[in-house]
Each structure stands twice: as structure tokens, then as C-alpha cells.
């Protein structure tokens, strides 16, 4: 090595070491479907974590409430939740750091011969508690002048809903794509009794990313880095949804077809559009609408104002 090369190598090596020292470990949860995985998959495929100084430990979960529990237990820093779990941040158990997408993939499904909610009265309905499937079931019942007590709710994990419906252990379910697509392949005569689009836009179904309260309080730099990753991945997805489906399918090791169907049941805003929706109060309206539903469903008595649990200033800043 020449003297000149040695002089150049020294500072360069120092910069590399500094960058490594500044890299922060982060524990991130996701759910193994398109909405719950796509941004995590894109960030991994496009090496966005390293770009923003993060070294992720990625953990898969079956639903949002379990991730909120993990945040509270200190075993997770950030996670993904669907709309059905947003009552937990509204009760102070986590902070929202970014909105994800507006989902229209939920369905209330029933065995053949049950074409309306009234047909399901007194029958067994499988529901993952505290999820968007749970929320849609309650909305669909209310639309028909019914209450949750008018059906026999059977609480079960999403994967159990699939097997229980296929084996006819339950008469109906509040569930979402791509699981609805899997069920349909096994039970082709199943009936879609209600869908989330029936209630949009009066009732919006946003999914979001959440942070552990202690992380927000103690490491705002980590939160900013995570938001930067989510924004970049979000814009990649908004610009090319089909490509994002391919990346997500590869990340999950699953066929792309169910994810294609799920991706077609959503609305994707760019980060600039989400920031604008944050500033003009649109996001607050989404969250306030959900709060009202949660109160009506008996999930919450006195939810927080969205400004107290959504870090909109950080996202839109």
C-alpha cells in the first residue's frame, strides 16, 4: 500500500467504524399477510434498514393485540396492527408512529344457506378477538339491528378460523383476505355476507405501525429512523404494488396469488399524501371514527384523543 493510499484508507475506515457504531438494533413485529408484511419485506429486500442505520430483528405474529402485549412486556420495539387492534393505542398501551394503508379486505363469511346476518342468529361465528374481522362482524350485526349477543362468538386464532370453517365446526366467521381466499378454495360454496367496503368511507379501516411507549420517551432518534424506513418502503409500494406483492411473497415463502387478491382490497397513499392527511385532520377523523366504534362495541369507555397517541407531528414533519 502506498503512503497516499494509507492516508485515504485511514479516514475511510474511521467513517465505516463510526457508521457501524451508530447502527441501532431494533425489534420489529409483523403479521404474515400482505398488509402486515409488505413494508417490512420491502425494507429488507431494498436494504432500507441499513440505509437508515438500523439492524432489525424481525418477529412474526398472528395478530396486532399480541404485538401490543409484546411491546408492553418490553420484548418488541415496533409492530404492525390492523384497525381492530387500534383500541389498544387509544387506551394508552402504545403510540402510533405511521399509518399503513386503508384496508378493504375483511369479510363476514358463512356456510352455504346463510345469506344474511339474520340467518346467522344464534349460530357459531369464529372471530380473532380484537381484530378488524371482529370489528366488521359488529358493524354488520348493527346494520341489521342485531347485537353481538345474537350470535355465538367463538374466539380463535386466524389459522384456526380457516380449519374450523373448512370442517364446518363454525357457521360463520369474521376474517380477512388472503385467508378468505384459502377458505373459498376449500369451501367453494361459502357466502360473503358482509365486506368492509360496505361501510366505507363512513367507517375507514386503517392499519398502522406502533411503538413501545418507552421507546418513544427514551429514544426519539430510533423512532425517527423507523419512520424514515416506513416512509421509503411505503412509497416503493405505492409506486409499484405488483412488485411489492412479489417481494412480500418471496419474504414469506408463499405463493403470490393470495397476496395479489389481498393487495387489490386496499388503498395506498404515498408518504406525502399521508403527511398531508395528517396535517389536515383526515387521519384524526379515521382514528376518531374508530374510537367511536370501540366505545359503541364496549371495548373502551374513554379513549384518548388521537393527538395523544398518534405521533403525527413526527410523521408529517
Amino acid at each position: 500500500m502506498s503512503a497516499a493510499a494509507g492516508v485515504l484508507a485511514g479516514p475511510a475506515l474511521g467513517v465505516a467504524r463510526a457508521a457501524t457504531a451508530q447502527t441501532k438494533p431494533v425489534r420489529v413485529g409483523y403479521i404474515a399477510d400482505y398488509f402486515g408484511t409488505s413494508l417490512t419485506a420491502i425494507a429488507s429486500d431494498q436494504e432500507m434498514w441499513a440505509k437508515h442505520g438500523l439492524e432489525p430483528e424481525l418477529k412474526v405474529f398472528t395478530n396486532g393485540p399480541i404485538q401490543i402485549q409484546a411491546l408492553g412486556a418490553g420484548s418488541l420495539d415496533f409492530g404492525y396492527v390492523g384497525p381492530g387492534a387500534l383500541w389498544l393505542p387509544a387506551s394508552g398501551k402504545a403510540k402510533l408512529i405511521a399509518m399503513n394503508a386503508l384496508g378493504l379486505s375483511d369479510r363476514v363469511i358463512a356456510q352455504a344457506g346463510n345469506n344474511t346476518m339474520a340467518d346467522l342468529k344464534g349460530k357459531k361465528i369464529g372471530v380473532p378477538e380484537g381484530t378488524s374481522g371482529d370489528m366488521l362482524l359488529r358493524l354488520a350485526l348493527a346494520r341489521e339491528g342485531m347485537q353481538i349477543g345474537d350470535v355465538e362468538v367463538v374466539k380463535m386464532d386466524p389459522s384456526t378460523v380457516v380449519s374450523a370453517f373448512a370442517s364446518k365446526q363454525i357457521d360463520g366467521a369474521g376474517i380477512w383476505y388472503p385467508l378468505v381466499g384459502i377458505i373459498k378454495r376449500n369451501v367453494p360454496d361459502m357466502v360473503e355476507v358482509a365486506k368492509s367496503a360496505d361501510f366505507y368511507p363512513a367507517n375507514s379501516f386503517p392499519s398502522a405501525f406502533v411503538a413501545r411507549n418507552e421507546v418513544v420517551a427514551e429514544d426519539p432518534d430510533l423512532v425517527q429512523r423507523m419512520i424514515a424506513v416506513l416512509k421509503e418502503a411505503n412509497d416503493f409500494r405505492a409506486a409499484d404494488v405488483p412488485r411489492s406483492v412479489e417481494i412480500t411473497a418471496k419474504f414469506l415463502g408463499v405463493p403470490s396469488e393470495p397476496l395479489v387478491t389481498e393487495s387489490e382490497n386496499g388503498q395506498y397513499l404515498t408518504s406525502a399524501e399521508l403527511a398531508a392527511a395528517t396535517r389536515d385532520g383526515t387521519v384524526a377523523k379515521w382514528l376518531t371514527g374508530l374510537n367511536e366504534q370501540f366505545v359503541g362495541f364496549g371495548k373502551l369507555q374513554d379513549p384518548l384523543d388521537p393527538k395523544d397517541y398518534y405521533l403525527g407531528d413526527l410523521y408529517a414533519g
Side-chain angles (χ1 to χ4, degrees):
M1 178 185 292
S2 68
V7 170
L8 291 173
L13 185 58
V15 170
R17 283 175 176 163
T20 301
Q22 292 170 2
T23 298
K24 292 186 174 184
V26 63
R27 299 165 299 177
V28 180
Y30 66 96
I31 295 175
D33 57 24
Y34 179 73
F35 288 116
T37 300
S38 52
L39 296 197
T40 297
I42 291 166
S44 300
D45 183 77
Q46 299 295 307
E47 300 182 352
M48 295 174 184
W49 302 109
K51 177 180 176 181
H52 295 285
L54 295 176
E55 184 177 344
E57 177 185 351
L58 306 177
K59 302 182 178 185
V60 65
F61 292 83
T62 57
N63 61 51
I66 295 177
Q67 290 182 74
I68 300 291
Q69 290 178 15
L71 294 175
S75 59
L76 197 65
D77 300 312
F78 301 97
Y80 161 88
V81 295
L86 287 176
W87 69 275
L88 290 159
S91 64
K93 297 188 181 300
K95 293 288 193 294
L96 299 188
I97 61 167
M99 307 311 292
N100 179 45
L102 292 174
L104 299 171
S105 62
D106 293 277
R107 301 289 187 272
V108 174
I109 60 173
Q111 302 287 355
N114 299 284
N115 298 309
T116 67
M117 294 305 299
D119 292 336
L120 290 171
K121 186 171 184 177
K123 296 182 180 179
K124 293 182 179 179
I125 312 296
V127 180
E129 185 180 21
T131 65
S132 52
D134 186 355
M135 181 183 300
L136 180 62
L137 173 63
R138 293 168 185 269
L139 284 172
L141 286 167
R143 183 177 62 178
E144 299 300 321
M146 300 169 67
Q147 299 178 349
I148 195 70
D150 289 329
V151 296
E152 183 181 344
V153 173
V154 183
K155 300 171 185 176
M156 51 181 61
D157 289 335
S159 59
T160 308
V161 169
V162 175
S163 58
F165 194 94
S167 60
K168 294 184 168 40
Q169 296 177 43
I170 53 177
D171 303 292
I175 199 67
W176 51 84
Y177 279 96
L179 298 180
V180 174
I182 295 171
I183 291 170
K184 191 176 292 186
R185 287 202 300 270
N186 294 314
V187 189
D189 60 352
M190 57 148 273
V191 179
E192 291 191 7
V193 177
K195 56 184 183 294
S196 44
D198 295 342
F199 302 91
Y200 180 83
N203 298 107
S204 297
F205 290 78
S207 51
F209 293 90
V210 291
R212 187 160 58 96
N213 288 330
E214 292 79 3
V215 170
V216 172
E218 299 167 9
D219 198 346
D221 175 64
L222 183 64
V223 178
Q224 290 278 26
R225 294 187 193 201
M226 184 67 186
I227 290 174
V229 170
L230 293 172
K231 281 185 170 182
E232 187 172 354
N234 180 71
D235 289 338
F236 182 102
R237 180 181 64 188
D240 194 345
V241 171
R243 174 67 178 136
S244 75
V245 169
E246 294 175 6
I247 290 172
T248 305
K250 180 180 178 182
F251 180 91
L252 292 174
V254 299
S256 61
E257 288 78 11
L259 302 186
V260 170
T261 302
E262 187 185 2
S263 73
E264 292 170 347
N265 283 279
Q267 292 188 346
Y268 310 100
L269 283 69
T270 66
S271 295
E273 290 170 334
L274 286 172
T278 296
R279 287 190 290 266
D280 71 14
T282 299
V283 173
K285 289 180 181 177
W286 296 342
L287 298 175
T288 299
L290 289 175
N291 281 351
E292 292 171 353
Q293 290 182 55
F294 295 139
V295 171
F297 297 159
K299 285 286 188 183
L300 289 174
Q301 290 186 341
D302 189 20
L304 295 173
D305 188 290
K307 65 180 175 57
D308 294 325
Y309 62 92
Y310 171 46
L311 306 182
D313 289 345
L314 281 182
Y315 189 91

